[in-house]
Amino acid sequence: MIAVSTFYLTTPIYYVNSTPHIGHAYTTIAADILVRHHRQRGDDTFFLTGTDEHASKVFRVAEERGLDAKVFVDRIVEENWRPLAPLVGAEPDFFIRTTDDEHKAFVQDFVERLRANGHIYEGTYSGLYCVGHETFISEGELVDGKCPEHGTVPEFIEEQNWFFRLSSFQDALLRLYDERPDFVLPRFRSNEARSLIEAGLEDFSLSRQGQPWGVPIPWNPEQVTWVWVDALINYLSALTYAEPGEDLREEYWPHVRHLIGKDILRLHCVLWPALLLGAGYSVPTQIFVHGYLLLDDRKISKTLGNVIDPLDLIGVYGADAVRFWAARSVSFGQDGSVSLESLHERYERELGNDLGNLLSRTTAMLAKYRDGRVPVADSELAEQAFADLRDRVAGSLDVFDVTGGIDAIWEFVRSLNKYVTDSKPWELAKDEANAPKLDRVLFTLVDGLRAAAVALASYLPETAPSILDALGQPVDLAWDGVARGRAVAAEGIDAAAPLFPRVEAPATAA
Ligand code: MSP
């Protein structure tokens, strides 16, 4: 297990020209699970999310509606994007907006540094630009003259721009990938990034002309910084003003880890480290690239019109159930298909039966057989079972294996269910002579559920404390609580209300 003591994690910053769908919620949920877990381990954590607002589309749409672009984005951010994290039960430490004045000033300082270090020159750009991607696109990538992902005809652009000498970073980047095999995870993504670098890097235009929306190039304010450069810098700029009056760069930058989707691999794994090196900053500690959630085998996205609205799902199943489903349904890092049916099924079978019923049965037996007391006895589970749980969850999350972590917890939950079935407490209760054995069984269940709740707390932040509460246990989520025999005596336990009450199957499930 890697001993991490400072953990700074970022999500991509989301484009404001769309509304949040489950694909965006996915990255935020996974990031929150990881950060909460590190908090439980007592690490010094920082969790950043936010919005990417200088896309040229934004300005065009605002103009069409006769609105000032900033007024337009203010509304969208407050209505749609800032609420996303709390909606999915995530607790970021800071929400950055690229229209923040502090961020804009920092971007200017950053590109100034690039220029001072000799990495910028003036040139003419002529070529195609895909507004959907907010990147230049080559003829060879087009299908029937259109961007294959967005189905739109790219714009031809010819303008005088400022260029970044990406080509001169090829050797430095190859060295980085050689020296740090876990710089990009999973490994197949690292290979993908390395091949892009090996194939040769072209300088790119870091500015755009004739656009009033964006961060002006300091020495040539008629041009604005290309939106991707502006956006990537957020990970660093946020640390300079997230805490008023404090600069958190020294504390967190050396420990930064980025969580991204596979569509933005090149920008994060090739361009971003080069920009950082160029400006004199250290490169990130790690970049984890996750796959897509697919619906009907197609990426969930607004452009494709197969959006699943996280609001709808959470309204029905609750944030914890959606987090559980996102973490467990698709092996984190791979692409995987999801459906509303699979959410419903996991909700009933795993959350409702495996976990919810285990708590209901345990508390009902405490109420019935022990007048609501938790007896203190010896656990009948081996310490090894707890040690395995602790190490497997922490070990998985150390390598961003969000799915491996929840799978390990679920095996433990299922082993508790098997333990109830095998030890038949309802039979033991029939004969007073079995009282010490029944005490042990009840204690084993309380203690096992308690440890499971602590292990689950990063995945199910609402449910875990209510499990501890229902069992009369202190709500202490410290990671070392995932151990044998930590349950304490308690009184006044009532049969708990269902953790995951029945809900109607989704209409589309028919
Ligand atoms: N604004 C850029 C990121 C700039 S970061 C310096 C951007 N924004 S985005 O809103 O389009 O996408 C944000 C994240 O959501 C990306 O990591 C993307 O992969 C993720 N997802 C969007 N749809 C997704 C799925 N259907 N499945 C999983 N994640 C996907 O790109």
Side-chain angles (χ1 to χ4, degrees), residues 11-15 21-24 26-27 52 81 228 231-235 259-264 268 290-294 299-301:
T11 72
I13 48 173
Y14 301 105
Y15 283 135
H21 58 64
I22 195 69
H24 307 119
Y26 186 57
T27 318
D52 183 354
W81 289 99
W228 263 101
L232 286 163
I233 295 172
N234 92 87
Y235 300 133
L259 197 58
I260 60 163
K262 66 177 185 179
D263 50 334
I264 51 181
H268 281 81
H290 67 71
Y292 283 163
L293 289 186
L294 307 170
K299 181 189 175 195
I300 296 167
S301 82

Side-chain angles (χ1 to χ4, degrees), residues 205-228:
S205 160
L206 163 148
S207 66
R208 297 290 315 277
Q209 211 178 50
Q211 288 219 32
W213 185 235
V215 181
I217 295 287
W219 61 91
N220 182 183
E222 291 73 48
Q223 303 229 354
V224 293
T225 312
W226 174 38
V227 64
W228 263 101

Side-chain angles (χ1 to χ4, degrees), residues 388-441:
D388 285 349
L389 175 64
R390 206 168 51 231
D391 294 348
R392 275 184 66 194
V393 176
S396 299
L397 294 180
D398 276 344
V399 292
F400 292 80
D401 184 1
V402 171
T403 311
I406 190 71
D407 288 351
I409 301 172
W410 228 251
E411 276 176 35
F412 184 82
V413 168
R414 289 194 170 145
S415 74
L416 290 176
N417 276 303
K418 180 164 184 315
Y419 173 79
V420 187
T421 317
D422 292 349
S423 49
K424 299 189 179 55
W426 48 91
E427 296 285 333
L428 297 171
K430 288 180 186 158
D431 186 346
E432 196 43 40
N434 295 325
K437 168 74 179 167
L438 182 58
D439 277 351
R440 280 202 300 281
V441 172

